[in-house]
Amino acid sequence: MDAGKTPTVGRIRHDHHGWPRHGTHDANPPRPSGTSTPPRRTRAADMSTSGGSVRQRPRGVVSGRYRLAVASRSLAAVIGGYGCAAAFAAALAVALPLPRSEAVLWGTMLSFVVWSVAALWAFAARSAGRAWLGILLPAAVFGAVVLSAPAPT
Amino acid sequence: MKEGFRQAMAWLHTWSGLVVGWLLFAIFVTGTLTYFRPEITQWMQPELSTEGNTAQHAEAAERYLRDVAPVAQSWFISLPDEREAQLRVFWRELGPNGRFQRERLDPISGEPTSARDTMGGDFFYRFHFELAMPNPWGRYLVGVCAMFMLVAIITGIVTHKKIFKEFFTFRPRKGQRSWLDFHNVSSVLALPFHLMITYTGLITLMLLYMPSAVEVAYGGDSSALFSEAFPQQQGELAGERAPLAALAPMVAQAEARWGPEAGVSRINVQYPGNQNASVALQRGPGQGLSHETDKLHFDGVSGELLGESGALAPAATTRQLLYGLHIARFAPELLRWLFFVSGLTGCLMVATGLVLWTVKRRPQHLKSGRLPFGLALVERLNVAVIAGLPLAIAVFFHANRLLPLDMAQRADWEVRVFLACWLAALIHALLRAPRQAWIEQLVAAAVGCMTLPVVNLLKTGDHLPAALMRGDGVAVGFDLIVLACGTAFALVARAVYRRGRTVPAHAPRQAGGPSTVMSNADAQTG
């Protein structure tokens, strides 16, 4: 555990998820360069809209804005991701130049991959707004493909 | 930037894993047991015999169905084979919304079986994707868990920079580090299996979870999709009745073609008793990975061979392949054991992940002297699920031996005993301190497992040496596995007990540096 080597002995520094820095799911401690007093701002740090304030808070207490951002990203991942995947499946079903049953099966089988990617994106994006944008935009494109196709016979 | 991405993925890994972790553990455990569904059924129905051949079994089923449903929408006969001892028949009453019924038959007489009433291995199979909840809610919940699992696996991979090196790393007796190492090893060891089983699991119920494509292309009519993707020789229901031709000659023809080893495993009769009746015979597993096996189609009235099922189109082939991979009916014995072991590593992966979550957080809160509600809840749910579920399963097997044979709704009572025991484990875990709860429930699970062979001896007179003498692989395997599980639970219980007792002596050594935060990790173990 590198916590003790840092200048902040006896106190665990927290990242913006309210986690101790050494407690990421990474067996490798952060590089020594990262242990100097002003902690580097990382993209993960930017995930929180609450800025650097969380770092000073006691563990377990996070700002309301941070919670809102996480809730928003979670919704984007679950609801937005599902919508995007469903639109993707439907788009493939109508747009693939294959027999109808084949297009439906490919679309449905691959939709779960789309959902997974959308879920990852929701938490990898720089901000909650960008998370939504990156999911709704492709979903709209897929939706447009479905709507422009002729109605089922 | 790169580290930022990894941190975000680590966060997602932790939380997507935690939120559904307990259900995932139950799904993994019951799914792993389902690899031996027919064998578990055999153990739970010791009255079953495996006499007769396929043609006799088909005749027995036919006799019964001609009696109870001479005219029907469809019959479905699942024949016994070298693993499966049950003869099961299903039929749907005439009409688009005809009632679906089922019965288990004696494979020789064709009468409803006199073997004890139990769900057998089917209990684990159904629990695996329905969680003993009403349809379709359990299935939806399992689907949500599977999606979280998929995300947790992908983010888990992203999180690991040194996936190869960490695979060979285990640092025992180091508290959180040991849990992390063990979590890594159990995850990476069978990583392709975990990914495969999660994705293919979603595929098995994909039309329930993702109906949008069927909605736009077929107006929501999935049976139209199936008849196009998996063509069957389906006729229309004719106005006139006609007697169904005998099934045994068709079975004989099919066996002549396929050989008796991978012979007929299923018979599907469409519109029995109708002019346009048709019969499809499906070959048993063993040809390849796919769920799709050869089929022969017969005219249901003349009994004439109409033809063989053709090859499927690519997407349909892929779908059947993914489905087949998930249920692994194709797997011969050794491969089946490999799947079973992979499933066990999946259980360990989920369990160690859940424990790791608490081990990581507890020391920091211990210093402040106050545990937040969330952590306390996770600790207790971990006990109730990781130790409580195996205990409930052991008790389920006990119920199978101990409940009176002539009890009404006996199969339901077995399930009720299982659920009641699990609920009791939950209440116990909520009331006791986590360490005590771990020890007590693990000991209970160990005792529950290890007494199973004894109870079996008292109730059926069968025991391990006798099973060994007659070469009964199912009886031997069951006893050895429950004894091994019991030993494992006992050893873990002992480890938890010792760890707690020797804290002060070990604390300085464990610290091994400035990370004194770890010295209390022992207080929470399992």
Side-chain angles (χ1 to χ4, degrees), chain B residues 304-369:
Chain B
E304 197 183 330
L305 179 62
L306 295 176
E308 209 163 341
S309 56
L312 298 176
T317 307
T318 308
R319 199 268 175 185
Q320 294 301 77
L321 182 81
L322 295 175
Y323 195 105
L325 267 175
H326 191 84
I327 59 174
R329 276 188 77 205
F330 62 85
E333 207 165 341
L334 188 64
L335 187 56
R336 179 173 304 277
W337 279 102
L338 195 62
F339 269 88
F340 180 76
V341 171
S342 301
L344 283 184
T345 65
C347 304
L348 290 176
M349 168 178 76
V350 178
T352 52
L354 284 169
V355 172
L356 180 59
W357 193 90
T358 61
V359 169
K360 201 149 79 179
R361 280 158 187 74
R362 181 174 250 266
Q364 297 143 18
H365 294 294
L366 274 186
K367 287 204 299 189
S368 67

Side-chain angles (χ1 to χ4, degrees), chain B residues 93-350:
Chain B
E93 290 171 356
L94 208 55
N97 296 317
R99 222 152 38 102
F100 194 71
Q101 303 197 66
R102 62 180 68 207
E103 190 59 76
R104 286 173 302 196
L105 305 179
D106 182 278
I108 301 296
S109 74
E111 295 300 313
T113 182
S114 57
R116 68 186 64 197
D117 183 23
T118 174
M119 281 184 80
D122 281 6
F123 169 71
F124 300 106
Y125 166 67
R126 300 207 77 87
F127 192 93
H128 173 63
F129 65 94
E130 291 183 334
L131 302 172
M133 286 168 76
N135 202 4
W137 301 112
R139 295 178 183 206
Y140 279 128
L141 201 52
V142 170
V144 170
C145 290
M147 254 334 277
F148 273 81
M149 174 83 192
L150 196 55
V151 168
I153 291 178
I154 299 170
T155 51
I157 298 169
V158 172
T159 308
H160 286 284
K161 256 194 306 208
K162 297 183 178 166
I163 203 159
F164 186 75
K165 190 181 157 204
E166 283 173 8
F167 178 63
F168 295 101
T169 308
F170 181 59
R171 290 154 285 190
R173 294 177 214 284
K174 286 237 173 15
Q176 177 185 342
R177 260 308 142 86
S178 309
W179 285 107
L180 180 57
D181 288 345
F182 195 54
H183 184 59
N184 287 342
V185 169
S186 61
S187 310
V188 177
L189 184 65
L191 185 59
F193 171 83
H194 299 325
L195 260 179
M196 177 280 284
I197 212 69
T198 311
Y199 179 66
T200 56
L202 285 163
I203 295 301
T204 57
L205 290 173
M206 63 181 189
L207 294 181
L208 177 73
Y209 299 146
M210 196 62 74
S212 62
V214 177
E215 201 60 49
V216 297
Y218 289 92
D221 182 5
S222 56
S223 62
L225 164 70
F226 275 109
S227 58
E228 271 182 41
F230 310 105
Q232 313 211 332
Q233 294 188 335
Q234 278 180 328
E236 292 290 306
L237 189 64
E240 285 176 47
R241 290 191 173 190
L244 184 70
L247 296 181
M250 304 182 201
V251 172
Q253 271 191 64
E255 291 207 313
R257 185 179 287 236
W258 293 330
E261 287 83 32
V264 185
S265 77
R266 275 153 199 199
I267 302 175
N268 192 0
V269 183
Q270 179 115 34
Y271 308 133
N274 192 272
Q275 177 84 51
N276 281 349
S278 66
V279 180
L281 269 53
Q282 189 173 2
R283 191 173 173 174
Q287 289 175 279
L289 304 183
S290 179
H291 185 53
E292 190 76 6
T293 53
D294 289 345
K295 279 189 189 127
L296 284 182
H297 297 276
F298 293 87
D299 185 301
V301 177
S302 70
E304 197 183 330
L305 179 62
L306 295 176
E308 209 163 341
S309 56
L312 298 176
T317 307
T318 308
R319 199 268 175 185
Q320 294 301 77
L321 182 81
L322 295 175
Y323 195 105
L325 267 175
H326 191 84
I327 59 174
R329 276 188 77 205
F330 62 85
E333 207 165 341
L334 188 64
L335 187 56
R336 179 173 304 277
W337 279 102
L338 195 62
F339 269 88
F340 180 76
V341 171
S342 301
L344 283 184
T345 65
C347 304
L348 290 176
M349 168 178 76
V350 178

